[in-house]
Amino acid sequence: MYKYFLTIFLNLFSISLLVAQDEQEYLGVLKLNDSSFISYRLNFEIQKNNTVKGYSVTNMGGAHETKSYVEGLYDAKEKVITFNETGIEYTKSDITTYDFCYVHFTGKLKNSNGQQMLEGPFLGKYSDGVACINGDIMVKNMEKIEKIAKKADKKIQRSNKIADSVKQKIDIMNLIDFNGLNVLKADEKTTMFSKDASMKVTIWDAGKLDGDKISIFYNGKNIINNHAIQKNKKVITLQLKKGENLLKFRADNVGQIAPNTAKIEITLGSKTIDLLSNLKKDEYTSVIVVH
């Protein structure tokens, strides 16, 4: 039964563009030259001057999830798009060096059986232009992925080959929806980078108000204790020291509905990173801001 679910999952992630005027969203995989696969989400807008701006997310929901900025150009006549990953918004990798391998891609927007896609080789380069790992991008229409996911969820729930205990844990649509968020999990470190000397932390309950409470620690000091999350946003401004700054969140309870889910925004200069806590009582998650 696990093999059955894994086959459906891999089929979904080996395909994925939600087109809303000039906004493009793809979901799929990077196939590396060592034959390994990494989930890949690509979201961008084509501007009036045919410039491309957006972001990518690799290893979605995994231990090395990384969100990068994307910039490039689009040739509308030839339907050729060129984009490069240009910097990191956040990463969940265990950072030992701040040099990342960025995707550089040039290829045509294709249409196969009514489904738009991007496929082709990419070059991996460090920030100084030195080559790293190469591979292929394979991403397709998000709209069709969602339709397939809904059908797969129904098929799983109706199947007599899958135990009820397993069915309760499988929700492919929920997995796809969560891939649009940076979910803060227990004992996890999320690293961000800032050239500004301060950051703004905003906390509120974006869902059903159920009494969740959290505490916040900054560079070893308890700055917020047992705070009841409300619909009204609580804003905290913090000064950054040179090097690493450690922001820790602790779930003090799970409210009426588990888990503890606080909506958190971290603003660093002109960029805002959206976060969502997903913690049990007394669990911690950490955000490191490198200045």
Side-chain angles (χ1 to χ4, degrees):
M1 57 188 172
Y2 286 104
K3 183 178 180 181
Y4 175 78
F5 169 62
L6 183 61
T7 300
I8 294 173
F9 180 81
L10 290 176
N11 284 339
L12 283 168
F13 275 92
S14 65
I15 60 177
S16 148
L17 165 49
L18 178 60
V19 181
Q21 295 180 343
D22 291 335
E23 184 177 352
Q24 317 284 331
E25 188 171 1
Y26 296 70
L27 185 64
V29 295
L30 299 179
K31 181 184 178 183
L32 306 184
N33 282 349
D34 63 4
S35 297
S36 60
F37 290 84
I38 299 175
S39 59
Y40 194 66
R41 188 177 191 127
L42 179 63
N43 185 298
F44 60 85
E45 286 189 4
I46 300 173
Q47 311 292 319
K48 290 182 179 179
N49 60 357
N50 286 329
T51 58
V52 171
K53 287 191 176 182
Y55 66 85
S56 65
V57 182
T58 55
N59 192 224
M60 297 172 295
H64 302 285
E65 179 178 295
T66 300
K67 184 175 181 180
S68 305
Y69 303 111
V70 165
E71 295 181 358
L73 294 170
Y74 178 62
D75 184 333
K77 183 178 180 180
E78 300 296 330
K79 295 185 178 180
V80 171
I81 185 168
T82 298
F83 72 83
N84 303 333
E85 294 175 343
T86 59
I88 302 296
E89 180 169 292
Y90 72 79
T91 182
K92 297 188 178 182
S93 289
D94 188 10
I95 299 299
T96 55
T97 174
Y98 299 134
D99 208 0
F100 294 85
C101 188
Y102 296 108
V103 168
H104 292 241
F105 177 80
T106 298
K108 277 196 172 186
L109 289 175
K110 300 178 182 179
N111 192 305
S112 177
N113 297 321
Q115 185 173 23
Q116 294 194 38
M117 65 181 69
L118 274 175
E119 290 186 348
F122 72 86
L123 299 178
K125 297 181 182 181
Y126 293 115
S127 56
D128 60 3
V130 174
C132 42
I133 193 165
N134 301 328
D136 290 280
I137 287 178
M138 297 182 290
V139 289
K140 294 186 182 180
N141 188 289
M142 172 69 92
E143 188 175 24
K144 289 206 172 185
I145 282 249
E146 291 176 342
K147 291 179 180 178
I148 294 170
K150 288 177 181 178
K151 290 181 180 178
D153 277 332
K154 289 181 180 178
K155 192 171 183 179
I156 289 167
Q157 297 305 318
R158 292 172 182 171
S159 175
N160 295 324
K161 299 178 181 179
I162 302 175
D164 290 341
S165 59
V166 176
K167 290 179 181 179
Q168 293 174 5
K169 298 177 182 179
I170 297 175
D171 189 338
I172 299 172
M173 274 304 299
N174 186 56
L175 176 64
I176 291 173
D177 291 341
F178 255 41
N179 280 330
L181 292 170
N182 178 3
V183 180
L184 300 177
K185 302 173 186 176
D187 302 321
E188 185 177 65
K189 291 181 180 179
T190 301
T191 303
M192 304 172 184
F193 305 87
S194 178
K195 294 181 180 179
D196 291 77
S198 65
M199 68 174 167
K200 185 170 67 176
V201 181
T202 307
I203 310 153
W204 76 100
D205 194 325
K208 183 178 180 180
L209 197 63
D210 67 336
D212 285 338
K213 295 182 179 181
I214 66 170
S215 293
I216 304 175
F217 303 81
Y218 183 59
N219 288 337
K221 295 182 179 179
N222 183 195
I223 58 172
I224 297 290
N225 188 55
N226 207 33
H227 170 67
I229 305 167
Q230 304 292 331
K231 290 292 183 183
N232 294 331
K233 296 181 178 181
K234 184 173 183 62
V235 181
I236 309 160
T237 300
L238 299 169
Q239 298 303 307
L240 297 171
K241 65 179 182 180
K242 285 293 182 181
E244 294 187 356
N245 296 267
L246 178 60
L247 190 63
K248 296 184 75 173
F249 299 89
R250 182 185 70 203
D252 294 318
N253 69 352
V254 291
Q256 298 173 9
I257 306 171
N260 184 302
T261 52
K263 186 72 169 62
I264 302 165
E265 285 182 351
I266 294 183
T267 303
L268 302 169
S270 61
K271 60 185 179 183
T272 297
I273 297 97
D274 294 318
L275 313 168
L276 180 70
S277 70
N278 191 334
L279 303 171
K280 298 177 183 177
K281 186 178 184 298
D282 295 329
E283 287 185 335
Y284 287 82
T285 191
S286 301
V287 173
I288 297 171
V289 180
V290 181
H291 172 54

